């Protein structure tokens, strides 16, 4: 996609430090546009997690389903995805349906008037004429950000303006993936949910085997493996995990300039108090113990070959990638309560996680994808200020009908 000439108008805002941008993306104490993982803080993540739990509980009954469905039945959303997607597109679409939001989509700009020369910025402005929310994925970094500034200008001019949600932009950010990843990790380490925590009923037994294990994300050792430089999901998630106390992050990737951990992110994490370590493989000893045996959580990623340069192709042929693939025997050496996540898609040819691992109780990646629907529904409820109504309904609902944990 060519850079839209309209970007130039926003250049001074795009080049600001992140902390100066955040206030432009809020409204009345709520997120209005969702562009960056760093817009979420721990209290907000906690609130969104609770709302997601409540939605998934309420949605189980027909009556609850009808209530949720009535909340935003006066709203319409445009899903504008000019990059391929399965999970993000479908989970946003399902989240909208849960809350009664009607959806429409443009998944291939070649089928829109962009094929006649219309600029993507004009497309977004047109969507805002017909819809109340634009959820967008773009190969162009900062395009969603430009759209948010355009909406802010329209609002200032008292014209029609809608929230923009970044569903993945270029190589930089995938904030709602980070939101669902945090929700998944939080639930795994609560050890309370039968379906989400492999050892949920065995917390005391785990404590006897692993005396240092505690509920919650603080003090955990998180491994990230694979394509760490070009992976926008890893970049967004690491920043949110860094909000927790006493975190250790171990980055496992080939030492190659297209794959290894970027220095700016490393510095950002260290400045946040994270203990940052790098390893060549799962067998690299840290304090005398192989990495794989130390991890509380392992975040696997796909090698994004679609971004390879000609030189990358030559260089990668010389790398032993078996060091960056899980096997059943590696997984069996992990802590019993450890959680394995992957944003998916996984690469069936490369095989960073073979299907043989899927049945292991440590494999959380399918429930992680389903959690995306609940976490995104909670985010939409927050944006449109119906999360309070959901909590009130939940209180009343659980009084009438005592429930097992969601
Ligand atoms: N994790 C993720 O973004 O998946 P999709 O590309 O299928 O949306």
């Amino acid at each position: 996609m060519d850079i839209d000439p309209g970007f130039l108008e926003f250049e001074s805002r795009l080049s600001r430090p992140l902390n100066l941008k955040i206030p432009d993306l809020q409204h009345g104490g709520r997120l209005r546009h969702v562009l960056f993982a760093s817009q979420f803080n721990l209290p907000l993540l906690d609130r969104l997690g609770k709302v997601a739990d409540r939605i998934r509980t309420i949605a189980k009954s027909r009556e609850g389903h009808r209530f949720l469905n009535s909340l935003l039945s006066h709203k319409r959303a445009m899903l504008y995805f000019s990059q391929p997607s399965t999970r993000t597109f479908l989970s946003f679409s399902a989240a909208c349906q849960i809350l009664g939001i009607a959806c429409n989509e443009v998944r291939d700009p070649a089928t829109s008037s962009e094929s006649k020369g219309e600029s993507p910025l004009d497309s977004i402005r047109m969507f805002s004429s017909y819809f109340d929310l634009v959820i967008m994925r773009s190969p162009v970094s900062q395009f969603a950000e430009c759209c948010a500034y355009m909406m802010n200008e329209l609002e200032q001019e008292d014209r029609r303006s809608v929230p923009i949600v970044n569903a993945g932009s270029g190589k930089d950010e995938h904030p709602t993936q980070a939101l669902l990843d945090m929700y998944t990790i939080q639930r795994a380490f609560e050890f309370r949910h039968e379906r989400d925590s492999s050892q949920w009923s065995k917390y005391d037994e785990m404590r006897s085997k692993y005396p240092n294990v505690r509920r919650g994300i603080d003090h955990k050792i998180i491994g990230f493996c694979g394509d760490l430089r070009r992976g926008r999901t890893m970049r967004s998630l690491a920043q949110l995990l860094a909000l927790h106390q006493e975190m250790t992050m171990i980055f496992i990737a080939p030492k190659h300039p297209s794959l290894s951990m970027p220095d700016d992110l490393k510095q950002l994490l260290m400045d946040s108090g994270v203990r940052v370590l790098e390893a060549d493989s799962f067998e690299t000893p840290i304090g005398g113990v192989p990495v794989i045996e130390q991890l509380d959580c392992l975040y696997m990623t796909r090698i994004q070959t679609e971004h390879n340069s000609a030189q990358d192709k030559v260089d990668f042929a010389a790398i032993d990638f078996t060091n960056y693939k899980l096997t059943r025997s590696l997984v069996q050496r992990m802590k019993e309560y450890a959680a394995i996540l992957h944003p998916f898609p996984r690469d069936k040819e490369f095989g960073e996680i073979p299907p043989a691992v899927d049945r292991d109780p440590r494999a959380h990646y399918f429930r992680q994808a389903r959690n995306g629907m609940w976490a995104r529904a909670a985010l939409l409820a927050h944006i449109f200020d119906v999360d309070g109504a959901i909590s009130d309904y939940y209180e009343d609902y659980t009084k009438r009908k005592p429930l097992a944990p969601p």
Side-chain angles (χ1 to χ4, degrees):
M1 185 190 281
D2 294 333
I3 298 296
D4 195 308
F7 270 43
L8 296 174
E9 194 187 323
F10 302 109
E11 212 169 319
S12 60
R13 272 169 279 183
L14 292 172
S15 58
R16 292 175 298 170
L18 200 50
N19 61 328
L20 297 184
K21 296 176 177 180
I22 305 275
D24 287 358
L25 311 174
Q26 295 170 182
H27 192 74
R30 288 180 177 272
L31 301 184
R32 171 164 160 77
H33 308 295
V34 181
L35 305 181
F36 309 113
S38 51
Q39 287 177 262
F40 300 111
N41 53 34
L42 287 185
L44 179 57
L45 286 170
D46 188 53
R47 276 208 308 281
L48 291 171
K50 282 197 174 78
V51 175
D53 280 350
R54 287 169 182 172
I55 292 172
R56 69 197 295 166
T57 299
I58 296 169
K60 284 189 177 127
S61 76
R62 190 181 290 263
E63 174 207 326
H65 173 80
R66 267 201 298 269
F67 161 74
L68 290 168
N69 214 249
S70 69
L71 283 172
L72 293 170
S73 55
H74 56 304
K75 299 287 183 193
R76 293 182 295 277
M78 164 50 72
L79 277 72
Y80 174 60
F81 276 57
S82 52
Q83 255 188 333
S85 168
T86 297
R87 278 144 293 276
T88 313
F89 180 86
L90 292 176
S91 63
F92 261 122
S93 171
C96 286
Q97 285 165 14
I98 289 169
L99 297 171
I101 304 173
C103 291
N104 217 318
E105 66 188 61
V106 171
R107 298 200 69 173
D108 177 2
T111 64
S112 78
S113 284
E114 283 181 36
S115 64
K116 303 176 211 162
E118 183 159 58
S119 78
L121 273 171
D122 275 355
S123 288
I124 298 286
R125 178 140 182 208
M126 289 304 136
F127 300 152
S128 75
S129 298
Y130 309 130
F131 297 93
D132 303 293
L133 168 72
V134 176
I135 300 166
M136 55 183 290
R137 169 170 288 191
S138 168
V140 180
S141 301
Q142 297 195 308
F143 179 45
E145 195 181 341
C146 288
C147 295
Y149 297 146
M150 177 172 70
M151 289 299 145
N152 284 357
E153 283 186 358
L154 290 169
E155 191 181 22
Q156 279 159 14
E157 293 160 12
D158 232 5
R159 293 169 194 263
R160 191 170 161 73
S161 161
V162 304
I164 301 289
V165 175
N166 175 5
S169 58
K171 292 178 201 164
D172 56 350
E173 282 266 7
H174 196 347
T176 66
Q177 178 71 41
L179 175 67
L180 76 93
D181 291 341
M182 288 298 283
Y183 179 57
T184 303
I185 297 170
Q186 181 63 44
R187 282 173 69 86
F189 292 132
E190 281 172 4
F191 299 102
R192 286 199 177 95
H193 305 289
E194 184 175 7
R195 291 199 184 131
D196 279 1
S197 179
S198 54
Q199 304 298 337
W200 76 288
S201 62
K202 297 186 181 171
Y203 182 60
D204 292 335
E205 188 188 326
M206 286 300 111
R207 292 271 294 175
S208 67
K209 286 188 185 170
Y210 306 98
N212 294 330
V213 69
R214 305 174 193 204
R215 291 193 199 277
I217 300 179
D218 291 344
H219 305 278
K220 293 290 184 290
I221 302 176
I222 315 284
F224 290 90
C225 177
D227 193 336
L228 303 184
R229 186 163 295 252
R230 305 179 295 190
R232 59 193 177 195
T233 61
M234 188 283 289
R235 172 171 274 274
S236 293
L237 175 60
Q239 292 176 64
L240 293 189
L241 287 167
L243 297 172
H244 282 273
Q245 301 293 314
E246 302 288 329
M247 299 299 289
T248 300
M249 296 190 197
I250 306 179
F251 295 94
I252 308 149
K255 282 196 175 67
H256 185 279
S258 294
L259 297 171
S260 61
M261 177 67 177
D263 286 339
D264 68 318
L265 181 58
K266 210 185 311 179
Q267 194 58 52
L268 190 77
L269 296 172
M270 289 192 295
D271 291 346
S272 308
V274 176
R275 184 173 166 238
V276 173
L277 301 166
E278 288 181 87
D280 288 336
S281 85
F282 294 123
E283 302 294 354
T284 304
I286 292 183
V289 180
V291 165
I292 193 71
E293 294 171 22
Q294 301 205 36
L295 300 175
D296 295 303
C297 177
L298 172 59
Y299 196 84
M300 294 295 293
T301 62
R302 178 176 66 89
I303 304 292
Q304 299 187 32
T305 48
E306 66 272 28
H307 298 308
N308 282 359
S309 64
Q311 187 59 46
D312 288 339
K313 282 181 195 158
V314 174
D315 294 350
F316 288 6
I319 294 174
D320 180 3
F321 280 104
T322 54
N323 287 329
Y324 312 100
K325 297 178 188 183
L326 273 183
T327 60
R328 274 191 72 186
S329 55
L330 276 169
V331 171
Q332 280 160 3
R333 287 168 53 201
M334 294 177 76
K335 292 170 180 166
E336 282 181 49
Y337 65 83
I340 302 167
L341 277 73
H342 188 312
F344 268 35
R346 61 179 160 184
D347 185 336
K348 63 181 188 306
E349 306 296 336
F350 183 86
E352 67 273 19
I353 304 184
V357 173
D358 295 355
R359 288 226 165 98
D360 191 285
R362 302 169 187 87
H364 284 241
Y365 30 87
F366 285 107
R367 66 181 66 116
Q368 176 188 2
R370 182 163 166 81
N371 283 343
M373 178 175 74
W374 306 119
R376 288 174 169 130
L379 179 66
L380 298 177
H382 168 84
I383 291 171
F384 287 117
D385 197 4
V386 292
D387 45 347
I390 291 170
S391 295
D392 292 346
Y393 184 93
Y394 177 85
E395 295 302 325
D396 183 53
Y397 187 83
T398 49
K399 265 185 222 146
R400 285 187 281 124
K401 191 175 169 196
L403 295 163

PDB file of all heavy atoms in Angstrom, residues 81 84-90 137 167 174 177 180 232-233 342-345 376, ligand 1:
ATOM      1  N   PHE A  81     -10.220  -4.491   7.037  1.00  0.00           N
ATOM      2  CA  PHE A  81      -9.008  -5.305   7.187  1.00  0.00           C
ATOM      3  C   PHE A  81      -8.302  -5.398   5.841  1.00  0.00           C
ATOM      4  O   PHE A  81      -8.701  -6.188   4.984  1.00  0.00           O
ATOM      5  CB  PHE A  81      -9.366  -6.710   7.693  1.00  0.00           C
ATOM      6  CG  PHE A  81      -9.521  -6.791   9.194  1.00  0.00           C
ATOM      7  CD1 PHE A  81     -10.417  -5.985   9.870  1.00  0.00           C
ATOM      8  CD2 PHE A  81      -8.761  -7.683   9.936  1.00  0.00           C
ATOM      9  CE1 PHE A  81     -10.561  -6.050  11.249  1.00  0.00           C
ATOM     10  CE2 PHE A  81      -8.887  -7.766  11.312  1.00  0.00           C
ATOM     11  CZ  PHE A  81      -9.780  -6.955  11.974  1.00  0.00           C
ATOM     12  N   PRO A  84      -4.547  -9.918   5.707  1.00  0.00           N
ATOM     13  CA  PRO A  84      -5.299 -11.130   6.069  1.00  0.00           C
ATOM     14  C   PRO A  84      -5.450 -11.302   7.574  1.00  0.00           C
ATOM     15  O   PRO A  84      -4.601 -10.846   8.351  1.00  0.00           O
ATOM     16  CB  PRO A  84      -4.437 -12.268   5.511  1.00  0.00           C
ATOM     17  CG  PRO A  84      -3.510 -11.635   4.549  1.00  0.00           C
ATOM     18  CD  PRO A  84      -3.312 -10.224   4.974  1.00  0.00           C
ATOM     19  N   SER A  85      -6.527 -11.939   7.989  1.00  0.00           N
ATOM     20  CA  SER A  85      -6.767 -12.205   9.410  1.00  0.00           C
ATOM     21  C   SER A  85      -7.819 -13.288   9.541  1.00  0.00           C
ATOM     22  O   SER A  85      -8.781 -13.325   8.773  1.00  0.00           O
ATOM     23  CB  SER A  85      -7.278 -10.932  10.095  1.00  0.00           C
ATOM     24  OG  SER A  85      -7.784 -11.232  11.386  1.00  0.00           O
ATOM     25  N   THR A  86      -7.650 -14.149  10.501  1.00  0.00           N
ATOM     26  CA  THR A  86      -8.717 -15.078  10.892  1.00  0.00           C
ATOM     27  C   THR A  86      -9.236 -14.691  12.261  1.00  0.00           C
ATOM     28  O   THR A  86     -10.378 -14.279  12.439  1.00  0.00           O
ATOM     29  CB  THR A  86      -8.189 -16.537  10.910  1.00  0.00           C
ATOM     30  OG1 THR A  86      -7.793 -16.874   9.590  1.00  0.00           O
ATOM     31  CG2 THR A  86      -9.273 -17.511  11.366  1.00  0.00           C
ATOM     32  N   ARG A  87      -8.367 -14.818  13.290  1.00  0.00           N
ATOM     33  CA  ARG A  87      -8.795 -14.634  14.680  1.00  0.00           C
ATOM     34  C   ARG A  87      -9.262 -13.211  14.978  1.00  0.00           C
ATOM     35  O   ARG A  87     -10.325 -13.014  15.586  1.00  0.00           O
ATOM     36  CB  ARG A  87      -7.653 -14.966  15.648  1.00  0.00           C
ATOM     37  CG  ARG A  87      -7.494 -16.420  15.917  1.00  0.00           C
ATOM     38  CD  ARG A  87      -6.029 -16.753  16.060  1.00  0.00           C
ATOM     39  NE  ARG A  87      -5.372 -16.571  14.773  1.00  0.00           N
ATOM     40  CZ  ARG A  87      -5.344 -17.497  13.810  1.00  0.00           C
ATOM     41  NH1 ARG A  87      -5.856 -18.658  14.035  1.00  0.00           N
ATOM     42  NH2 ARG A  87      -4.782 -17.252  12.626  1.00  0.00           N
ATOM     43  N   THR A  88      -8.485 -12.214  14.601  1.00  0.00           N
ATOM     44  CA  THR A  88      -8.820 -10.846  15.005  1.00  0.00           C
ATOM     45  C   THR A  88     -10.129 -10.420  14.349  1.00  0.00           C
ATOM     46  O   THR A  88     -11.019  -9.874  14.999  1.00  0.00           O
ATOM     47  CB  THR A  88      -7.679  -9.879  14.629  1.00  0.00           C
ATOM     48  OG1 THR A  88      -6.448 -10.459  15.047  1.00  0.00           O
ATOM     49  CG2 THR A  88      -7.853  -8.533  15.294  1.00  0.00           C
ATOM     50  N   PHE A  89     -10.238 -10.724  13.067  1.00  0.00           N
ATOM     51  CA  PHE A  89     -11.459 -10.352  12.345  1.00  0.00           C
ATOM     52  C   PHE A  89     -12.680 -11.066  12.943  1.00  0.00           C
ATOM     53  O   PHE A  89     -13.683 -10.435  13.291  1.00  0.00           O
ATOM     54  CB  PHE A  89     -11.313 -10.705  10.855  1.00  0.00           C
ATOM     55  CG  PHE A  89     -12.541 -10.348  10.068  1.00  0.00           C
ATOM     56  CD1 PHE A  89     -12.707  -9.082   9.548  1.00  0.00           C
ATOM     57  CD2 PHE A  89     -13.549 -11.283   9.878  1.00  0.00           C
ATOM     58  CE1 PHE A  89     -13.864  -8.746   8.854  1.00  0.00           C
ATOM     59  CE2 PHE A  89     -14.706 -10.958   9.196  1.00  0.00           C
ATOM     60  CZ  PHE A  89     -14.859  -9.685   8.677  1.00  0.00           C
ATOM     61  N   LEU A  90     -12.560 -12.380  13.077  1.00  0.00           N
ATOM     62  CA  LEU A  90     -13.744 -13.152  13.510  1.00  0.00           C
ATOM     63  C   LEU A  90     -14.084 -12.905  14.977  1.00  0.00           C
ATOM     64  O   LEU A  90     -15.258 -12.861  15.342  1.00  0.00           O
ATOM     65  CB  LEU A  90     -13.516 -14.645  13.256  1.00  0.00           C
ATOM     66  CG  LEU A  90     -13.466 -15.028  11.776  1.00  0.00           C
ATOM     67  CD1 LEU A  90     -13.129 -16.503  11.618  1.00  0.00           C
ATOM     68  CD2 LEU A  90     -14.791 -14.701  11.075  1.00  0.00           C
ATOM     69  N   ARG A 137      -7.304  -3.143  10.365  1.00  0.00           N
ATOM     70  CA  ARG A 137      -5.960  -3.734  10.269  1.00  0.00           C
ATOM     71  C   ARG A 137      -5.327  -3.224   8.988  1.00  0.00           C
ATOM     72  O   ARG A 137      -5.973  -3.208   7.934  1.00  0.00           O
ATOM     73  CB  ARG A 137      -6.037  -5.257  10.237  1.00  0.00           C
ATOM     74  CG  ARG A 137      -4.724  -5.896   9.888  1.00  0.00           C
ATOM     75  CD  ARG A 137      -4.713  -7.372  10.068  1.00  0.00           C
ATOM     76  NE  ARG A 137      -4.714  -7.750  11.473  1.00  0.00           N
ATOM     77  CZ  ARG A 137      -4.494  -8.991  11.912  1.00  0.00           C
ATOM     78  NH1 ARG A 137      -4.252  -9.962  11.054  1.00  0.00           N
ATOM     79  NH2 ARG A 137      -4.518  -9.271  13.201  1.00  0.00           N
ATOM     80  N   ALA A 167      -6.471  -3.007  14.881  1.00  0.00           N
ATOM     81  CA  ALA A 167      -6.517  -4.479  14.935  1.00  0.00           C
ATOM     82  C   ALA A 167      -5.243  -5.082  14.348  1.00  0.00           C
ATOM     83  O   ALA A 167      -5.245  -6.219  13.868  1.00  0.00           O
ATOM     84  CB  ALA A 167      -7.753  -4.971  14.191  1.00  0.00           C
ATOM     85  N   HIS A 174      -0.134  -4.329  18.038  1.00  0.00           N
ATOM     86  CA  HIS A 174      -1.353  -5.138  17.946  1.00  0.00           C
ATOM     87  C   HIS A 174      -1.958  -5.106  19.355  1.00  0.00           C
ATOM     88  O   HIS A 174      -1.919  -6.101  20.088  1.00  0.00           O
ATOM     89  CB  HIS A 174      -0.999  -6.553  17.505  1.00  0.00           C
ATOM     90  CG  HIS A 174      -2.149  -7.375  17.012  1.00  0.00           C
ATOM     91  ND1 HIS A 174      -3.472  -7.009  17.195  1.00  0.00           N
ATOM     92  CD2 HIS A 174      -2.182  -8.566  16.346  1.00  0.00           C
ATOM     93  CE1 HIS A 174      -4.263  -7.930  16.653  1.00  0.00           C
ATOM     94  NE2 HIS A 174      -3.499  -8.878  16.134  1.00  0.00           N
ATOM     95  N   GLN A 177      -4.496  -7.735  20.680  1.00  0.00           N
ATOM     96  CA  GLN A 177      -3.896  -9.059  20.897  1.00  0.00           C
ATOM     97  C   GLN A 177      -3.220  -9.077  22.269  1.00  0.00           C
ATOM     98  O   GLN A 177      -3.338 -10.041  23.026  1.00  0.00           O
ATOM     99  CB  GLN A 177      -2.871  -9.363  19.786  1.00  0.00           C
ATOM    100  CG  GLN A 177      -2.154 -10.701  19.949  1.00  0.00           C
ATOM    101  CD  GLN A 177      -3.036 -11.910  19.684  1.00  0.00           C
ATOM    102  OE1 GLN A 177      -3.832 -11.896  18.752  1.00  0.00           O
ATOM    103  NE2 GLN A 177      -2.920 -12.955  20.502  1.00  0.00           N
ATOM    104  N   LEU A 180      -5.839  -9.541  24.980  1.00  0.00           N
ATOM    105  CA  LEU A 180      -6.329 -10.913  25.183  1.00  0.00           C
ATOM    106  C   LEU A 180      -5.227 -11.817  25.718  1.00  0.00           C
ATOM    107  O   LEU A 180      -5.492 -12.751  26.475  1.00  0.00           O
ATOM    108  CB  LEU A 180      -6.965 -11.463  23.901  1.00  0.00           C
ATOM    109  CG  LEU A 180      -6.044 -11.901  22.769  1.00  0.00           C
ATOM    110  CD1 LEU A 180      -5.736 -13.392  22.862  1.00  0.00           C
ATOM    111  CD2 LEU A 180      -6.731 -11.616  21.429  1.00  0.00           C
ATOM    112  N   ARG A 232       4.722  -7.939  15.963  1.00  0.00           N
ATOM    113  CA  ARG A 232       4.058  -6.827  16.658  1.00  0.00           C
ATOM    114  C   ARG A 232       3.332  -7.315  17.914  1.00  0.00           C
ATOM    115  O   ARG A 232       3.141  -6.560  18.854  1.00  0.00           O
ATOM    116  CB  ARG A 232       3.097  -6.105  15.711  1.00  0.00           C
ATOM    117  CG  ARG A 232       2.006  -6.981  15.136  1.00  0.00           C
ATOM    118  CD  ARG A 232       1.296  -6.297  13.971  1.00  0.00           C
ATOM    119  NE  ARG A 232       0.285  -7.165  13.372  1.00  0.00           N
ATOM    120  CZ  ARG A 232      -0.277  -6.956  12.206  1.00  0.00           C
ATOM    121  NH1 ARG A 232       0.060  -5.924  11.484  1.00  0.00           N
ATOM    122  NH2 ARG A 232      -1.194  -7.777  11.734  1.00  0.00           N
ATOM    123  N   THR A 233       2.947  -8.609  17.946  1.00  0.00           N
ATOM    124  CA  THR A 233       2.224  -9.094  19.129  1.00  0.00           C
ATOM    125  C   THR A 233       3.162  -9.152  20.324  1.00  0.00           C
ATOM    126  O   THR A 233       2.793  -8.772  21.435  1.00  0.00           O
ATOM    127  CB  THR A 233       1.618 -10.499  18.888  1.00  0.00           C
ATOM    128  OG1 THR A 233       2.672 -11.407  18.615  1.00  0.00           O
ATOM    129  CG2 THR A 233       0.646 -10.496  17.741  1.00  0.00           C
ATOM    130  N   HIS A 342       0.524 -18.728  21.975  1.00  0.00           N
ATOM    131  CA  HIS A 342       0.978 -18.395  20.607  1.00  0.00           C
ATOM    132  C   HIS A 342      -0.146 -17.530  20.033  1.00  0.00           C
ATOM    133  O   HIS A 342      -1.317 -17.915  20.131  1.00  0.00           O
ATOM    134  CB  HIS A 342       1.165 -19.681  19.799  1.00  0.00           C
ATOM    135  CG  HIS A 342       1.813 -19.500  18.452  1.00  0.00           C
ATOM    136  ND1 HIS A 342       1.421 -18.531  17.542  1.00  0.00           N
ATOM    137  CD2 HIS A 342       2.843 -20.162  17.857  1.00  0.00           C
ATOM    138  CE1 HIS A 342       2.187 -18.620  16.453  1.00  0.00           C
ATOM    139  NE2 HIS A 342       3.049 -19.599  16.608  1.00  0.00           N
ATOM    140  N   PRO A 343       0.175 -16.388  19.440  1.00  0.00           N
ATOM    141  CA  PRO A 343      -0.921 -15.556  18.917  1.00  0.00           C
ATOM    142  C   PRO A 343      -1.618 -16.206  17.727  1.00  0.00           C
ATOM    143  O   PRO A 343      -2.750 -15.853  17.416  1.00  0.00           O
ATOM    144  CB  PRO A 343      -0.223 -14.256  18.505  1.00  0.00           C
ATOM    145  CG  PRO A 343       1.210 -14.641  18.287  1.00  0.00           C
ATOM    146  CD  PRO A 343       1.493 -15.775  19.226  1.00  0.00           C
ATOM    147  N   PHE A 344      -0.928 -17.161  17.082  1.00  0.00           N
ATOM    148  CA  PHE A 344      -1.434 -17.833  15.885  1.00  0.00           C
ATOM    149  C   PHE A 344      -1.601 -16.808  14.749  1.00  0.00           C
ATOM    150  O   PHE A 344      -1.812 -15.644  15.020  1.00  0.00           O
ATOM    151  CB  PHE A 344      -2.752 -18.545  16.181  1.00  0.00           C
ATOM    152  CG  PHE A 344      -2.564 -19.995  16.600  1.00  0.00           C
ATOM    153  CD1 PHE A 344      -1.478 -20.381  17.360  1.00  0.00           C
ATOM    154  CD2 PHE A 344      -3.483 -20.958  16.216  1.00  0.00           C
ATOM    155  CE1 PHE A 344      -1.303 -21.701  17.752  1.00  0.00           C
ATOM    156  CE2 PHE A 344      -3.320 -22.296  16.596  1.00  0.00           C
ATOM    157  CZ  PHE A 344      -2.237 -22.665  17.356  1.00  0.00           C
ATOM    158  N   PRO A 345      -1.554 -17.155  13.494  1.00  0.00           N
ATOM    159  CA  PRO A 345      -1.438 -18.527  13.027  1.00  0.00           C
ATOM    160  C   PRO A 345      -0.057 -19.116  13.328  1.00  0.00           C
ATOM    161  O   PRO A 345       0.932 -18.391  13.339  1.00  0.00           O
ATOM    162  CB  PRO A 345      -1.631 -18.390  11.516  1.00  0.00           C
ATOM    163  CG  PRO A 345      -1.155 -17.000  11.199  1.00  0.00           C
ATOM    164  CD  PRO A 345      -1.534 -16.178  12.375  1.00  0.00           C
ATOM    165  N   ARG A 376     -12.317  -8.737  23.671  1.00  0.00           N
ATOM    166  CA  ARG A 376     -12.687  -7.670  22.727  1.00  0.00           C
ATOM    167  C   ARG A 376     -14.110  -7.184  23.003  1.00  0.00           C
ATOM    168  O   ARG A 376     -14.391  -5.985  22.854  1.00  0.00           O
ATOM    169  CB  ARG A 376     -12.492  -8.161  21.289  1.00  0.00           C
ATOM    170  CG  ARG A 376     -11.006  -8.251  20.965  1.00  0.00           C
ATOM    171  CD  ARG A 376     -10.690  -8.847  19.626  1.00  0.00           C
ATOM    172  NE  ARG A 376      -9.275  -8.647  19.338  1.00  0.00           N
ATOM    173  CZ  ARG A 376      -8.431  -9.607  18.943  1.00  0.00           C
ATOM    174  NH1 ARG A 376      -8.854 -10.845  18.753  1.00  0.00           N
ATOM    175  NH2 ARG A 376      -7.152  -9.332  18.721  1.00  0.00           N
TER     176      ARG A 376
HETATM  177  N1  LIG B   1      -3.308 -13.339  16.192  1.00  0.00           N
HETATM  178  C1  LIG B   1      -3.803 -12.763  15.087  1.00  0.00           C
HETATM  179  O1  LIG B   1      -3.715 -11.540  14.903  1.00  0.00           O
HETATM  180  O2  LIG B   1      -4.357 -13.640  14.219  1.00  0.00           O
HETATM  181  P1  LIG B   1      -5.003 -13.238  12.824  1.00  0.00           P
HETATM  182  O3  LIG B   1      -3.880 -12.688  11.977  1.00  0.00           O
HETATM  183  O4  LIG B   1      -5.578 -14.506  12.274  1.00  0.00           O
HETATM  184  O5  LIG B   1      -6.028 -12.187  13.086  1.00  0.00           O
END
